[in-house]
């Protein structure tokens, strides 16, 4: 049985925790908005048509910010279509997902939903089919004080107060050939710099996110960041990273996905700091990891191939409204990977200052719904909710001494990973651990004596004898968190036994 020795001290501090690390993402895609968070006929729907059962789960999940309205969708979106009297809103084709958008939910409704759920709204502007003028119009409509045309239009539409959106993405995944209006790094860098400068001229307090790479596998990865920041460094505050992982028939590598995320972050930090030095700038750019999750992309690739084949055969598949798209069912192994990606985001929190789990409801999501029926928690709900609830104060990166396991993609990787937080005010600390071993439990000696902890408040884990066990409509509680065996000795050392393929969270107090 592998054994790991971990120690954590307050001088292992990474950064004070910014709750923006626990953001998520709502795109007009599939049933995320329609039949997800919005379903007027549902028994739990409120007067605006929002499902209260979903609102409750979003609160329980502990989401801080929500990025909106896309994603690939934003690159063809006209925000004006989604405001004003609902019966006058146009139905349009969405080229990103090959569907029709009814525009029954738009900016004002979504901003109202963020107030219901208590989350911060983070917006994206369309730099695919649109540009500076439309971004400025959207900014004025969203944040303007009454007294100018577009701010007054918002007031007339029922939103008397500005929505007060601070964080704005300058487009989405503009490096991807699949993006409507895809640009080269040079073209996008110039457009982002000019749009960002204009937006900051309107409001210098905005926080702007420039598009980084859509994944570390992109052929332009690294060079894209260097070129884009070469143009936009002085006007942006964050550069984005997006990463999705899935089991490609090699579970050992899948369980080590966070190694890729960690290397990805290192490359982006290196590129950003290189540009900082070339520009003799005193400002450091942070990372907004504003799309991350487990996602079996092959299901979407198959769907795209099917649409193409049908159209070639002269049988157009049509443009459905809010169909079931990207409704991945997550296994307990997927949840363990999500937990370990969160551990990496915590350990790299010195530079990753914001992140968004993509997405929130129905579409590659921790929360699922049935029209007219229940809402339930996928396995991936739990590591996110527990980390968000327990983490607080300062993030610490424990020192880990443990055996390695062999992976085809990443070589030898440590069998265990861990992060911690300590909150001097409340006297609470939290530990997050993952055991990547597929068949062996790992015994962990976790020295927390320097944190002054005297008591284990709670200890939970995600693990199942069946690594493919999942929560579904038929069995929504098949995989709940379970009690974790863990004993705190008088020497301040915790003895923990982590089963194979498991993620755990331990809450301590003084
Ligand atoms: O989250 C699903 C899609 O993944 C987003 O629309 C896009 O930005 C990314 O490719």
């Amino acid at each position: 049985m592998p054994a790991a020795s971990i120690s954590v001290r307050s001088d292992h501090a990474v950064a004070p925790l910014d709750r923006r690390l626990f953001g998520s993402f709502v795109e007009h895609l599939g049933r995320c908005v329609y039949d997800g968070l919005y379903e007027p006929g549902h028994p739990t729907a409120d007067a605006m048509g929002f499902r209260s059962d979903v609102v409750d789960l979003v609160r329980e999940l502990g989401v801080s910010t929500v990025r909106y309205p896309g994603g690939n969708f934003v690159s063809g979106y006209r925000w004006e279509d989604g405001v004003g009297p609902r019966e006058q809103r146009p139905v349009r084709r969405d080229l990103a997902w090959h569907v029709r958008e009814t525009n029954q939910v738009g900016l004002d409704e979504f901003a109202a939903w963020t107030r219901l759920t208590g989350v911060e709204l983070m917006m994206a502007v369309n730099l695919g089919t649109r540009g500076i003028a439309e971004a400025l119009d959207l900014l004025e409509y969203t944040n303007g004080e009454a007294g100018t045309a577009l701010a007054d239009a918002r007031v007339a539409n029922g939103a008397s107060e500005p929505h007060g959106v601070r964080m704005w993405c300058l487009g989405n995944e503009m490096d991807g050939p699949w993006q409507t209006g895809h640009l080269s790094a040079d073209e996008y860098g110039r457009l982002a710099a000019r749009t960002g400068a204009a937006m900051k001229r309107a409001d210098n307090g905005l926080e702007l996110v420039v598009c980084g790479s859509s994944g570390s596998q992109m052929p332009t990865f690294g060079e894209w960041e260097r070129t884009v920041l070469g143009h936009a460094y002085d006007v942006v505050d964050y550069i984005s990273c997006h990463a999705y992982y899935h089991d490609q028939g090699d579970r050992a590598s899948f369980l080590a996905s966070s190694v890729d995320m960690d290397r990805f972050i290192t490359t982006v930090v290196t590129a950003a700091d290189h540009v900082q030095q070339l520009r003799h700038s005193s400002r450091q750019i942070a990372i907004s990891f504003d799309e991350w999750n487990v996602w079996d992309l092959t299901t979407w690739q198959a769907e795209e191939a099917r649409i193409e084949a049908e159209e070639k055969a002269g049988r157009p598949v049509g443009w459905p409204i809010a169909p079931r798209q990207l409704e991945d069912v997550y296994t307990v192994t997927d949840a363990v990977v999500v937990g370990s990606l969160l551990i990496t985001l915590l350990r790299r929190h010195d530079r990753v200052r914001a992140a968004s789990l993509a997405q929130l409801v129905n579409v590659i999501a921790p929360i699922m719904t049935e029209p007219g029926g229940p809402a339930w928690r996928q396995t991936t709900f739990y590591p996110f909710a527990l980390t968000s609830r327990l983490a607080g104060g300062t993030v610490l990166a424990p020192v880990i001494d443990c055996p390695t396991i062999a992976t085809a993609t990443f070589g030898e990787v440590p069998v265990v990973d861990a992060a911690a937080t300590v909150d001097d005010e409340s006297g609470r600390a939290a530990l997050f651990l993952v055991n990547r071993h597929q068949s062996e439990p790992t015994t962990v000696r976790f020295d927390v004596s320097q944190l002054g902890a005297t008591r284990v408040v709670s200890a939970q884990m995600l693990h199942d004898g069946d690594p493919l066990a999942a929560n579904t409509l038929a069995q929504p509680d098949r995989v709940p968190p379970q009690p974790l065996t863990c004993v705190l000795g008088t020497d301040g050392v915790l003895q923990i036994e982590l089963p194979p393929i498991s993620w755990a969270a331990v809450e301590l107090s003084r």
Side-chain angles (χ1 to χ4, degrees):
M1 180 190 305
S5 186
I6 307 180
S7 65
V8 64
R9 297 196 314 255
S10 36
D11 61 350
H12 294 152
V14 175
L17 180 68
D18 186 330
R19 294 204 52 80
R20 278 184 174 165
L21 202 64
F22 304 119
S24 186
F25 174 33
V26 166
E27 176 166 6
H28 281 250
L29 160 54
R31 299 190 309 122
C32 184
V33 174
Y34 307 108
D35 282 357
L37 50 99
Y38 176 78
E39 190 187 336
H42 192 270
T44 72
D46 66 10
M48 286 184 286
F50 292 123
R51 285 181 64 150
S52 305
D53 56 348
V54 173
V55 168
D56 290 345
L57 285 176
V58 170
R59 289 204 187 112
E60 183 185 325
L61 187 62
V63 167
S64 54
T65 53
V66 176
R67 180 169 173 254
Y68 176 84
N72 296 339
F73 170 79
V74 81
S75 295
Y77 184 49
R78 306 181 210 197
W79 65 267
E80 304 90 329
D81 290 347
V83 298
R86 278 198 167 120
E87 61 286 1
Q88 291 171 20
R89 297 186 191 176
V91 174
R92 295 207 192 266
R93 283 181 174 202
D94 164 26
L95 304 186
W97 301 106
H98 212 277
V99 295
R100 269 176 299 157
E101 169 58 49
T102 63
N103 286 303
Q104 290 304 293
V105 172
L107 169 56
D108 293 321
E109 289 83 22
F110 191 72
W113 184 84
T114 62
R115 287 191 288 275
L116 263 184
T117 46
V119 304
E120 178 190 355
L121 174 54
M122 168 182 178
M123 297 268 293
V125 300
N126 173 357
L127 292 187
T129 59
R130 308 189 106 184
I132 303 173
E134 294 90 346
L136 289 176
D137 285 352
L138 175 59
L139 179 60
E140 182 187 329
Y141 184 93
T142 307
N143 285 354
E145 296 286 347
T148 65
L150 289 170
D152 287 348
R154 184 198 66 238
V155 175
N157 289 335
S160 53
E161 294 302 317
H163 295 311
V165 177
R166 307 318 304 157
M167 216 168 156
W168 291 80
C169 302
L170 300 169
N172 176 70
E173 292 191 350
M174 297 307 296
D175 63 326
W178 59 84
Q179 201 68 215
T180 309
H182 158 64
L183 297 170
S184 70
D186 204 44
E187 291 164 334
Y188 171 67
R190 286 173 198 275
L191 178 60
R194 293 170 66 222
T195 308
M199 289 176 78
K200 284 211 167 163
R201 202 167 294 156
D203 179 350
N204 200 32
L206 300 180
E207 296 170 65
L208 301 181
V209 186
V210 76
C211 293
S213 293
S214 307
S216 58
Q217 76 292 350
M218 296 300 287
T220 50
F221 175 47
E223 185 57 27
W224 173 274
E225 280 74 4
R226 197 188 60 74
T227 306
V228 166
L229 285 176
H231 291 293
Y233 195 92
D234 295 337
V235 297
V236 301
D237 304 280
Y238 298 84
I239 182 158
S240 71
C241 293
H242 291 181
Y244 294 101
Y245 301 98
H246 74 280
D247 187 346
Q248 303 183 50
D250 169 12
R251 190 172 289 156
S253 298
F254 176 51
L255 284 162
S257 297
S258 61
V259 172
D260 176 78
M261 179 184 252
D262 188 64
R263 292 177 187 168
F264 188 174
I265 293 165
T266 300
T267 306
V268 176
V269 164
T270 307
D273 292 353
H274 171 67
V275 178
Q276 181 191 9
Q277 280 161 20
L278 290 179
R279 299 182 79 84
H280 308 289
S281 172
S282 56
R283 290 173 69 243
Q284 202 174 55
I285 299 291
I287 290 175
S288 170
F289 218 118
D290 48 39
E291 284 188 36
W292 69 271
N293 204 347
V294 171
W295 174 15
D296 186 355
L297 278 154
T298 53
T299 55
W300 174 247
Q301 285 155 0
E303 171 72 0
E304 281 199 314
R306 189 184 65 83
I307 292 170
E308 209 181 306
E310 294 279 322
E311 284 184 342
K312 271 196 190 136
R315 292 189 301 267
V317 287
W319 297 73
I321 293 172
R324 291 178 189 260
Q325 289 177 309
L326 320 186
E327 299 203 2
D328 287 33
V329 175
Y330 289 115
T331 66
V332 66
T333 305
D334 296 332
V336 168
V337 170
V338 163
S340 80
L341 294 169
L342 276 162
I343 288 173
T344 296
L345 291 172
L346 284 166
R347 291 185 70 99
R348 304 304 302 268
H349 192 38
D350 54 333
R351 295 305 289 270
V352 181
R353 301 300 296 163
S356 304
L357 175 71
Q359 299 193 6
L360 186 58
V361 184
N362 287 333
V363 173
I364 45 172
I367 298 169
M368 297 300 288
T369 68
E370 264 304 296
W376 67 97
R377 303 164 189 82
Q378 293 234 50
T379 56
T380 52
F381 183 98
Y382 294 110
F384 191 99
L386 283 166
T387 307
S388 174
R389 182 161 64 78
L390 300 181
T394 302
V395 178
L396 309 170
V399 173
I400 303 168
D401 181 13
C402 68
T404 57
I405 38 176
T407 68
T409 311
F410 308 112
E412 293 288 322
V413 303
V415 68
V416 161
D417 198 9
T421 63
V422 65
D423 186 353
D424 288 332
E425 239 169 68
S426 66
R428 296 264 160 145
L431 315 174
F432 306 101
L433 299 106
V434 63
N435 180 12
R436 294 171 169 141
H437 206 292
Q438 291 190 65
S439 52
E440 298 268 345
T442 299
T443 310
V444 179
R445 276 177 52 83
F446 205 136
D447 184 349
V448 293
S449 55
Q450 297 294 311
L451 302 183
T454 58
R455 197 165 66 87
V456 175
V457 180
S458 67
Q460 299 176 71
M461 66 168 179
L462 271 169
H463 164 74
D464 199 281
D466 174 5
L468 298 180
N471 296 336
T472 58
L473 175 61
Q475 281 193 296
D477 299 315
R478 167 68 183 79
V479 188
Q482 297 178 39
L484 168 79
T485 312
C486 120
V487 180
L488 179 58
T490 47
D491 54 356
V493 176
L494 272 169
Q495 299 278 353
I496 305 172
E497 189 167 312
L498 290 174
I501 315 184
S502 65
W503 174 90
V506 180
E507 186 184 11
L508 304 164
S509 84
R510 288 200 187 120

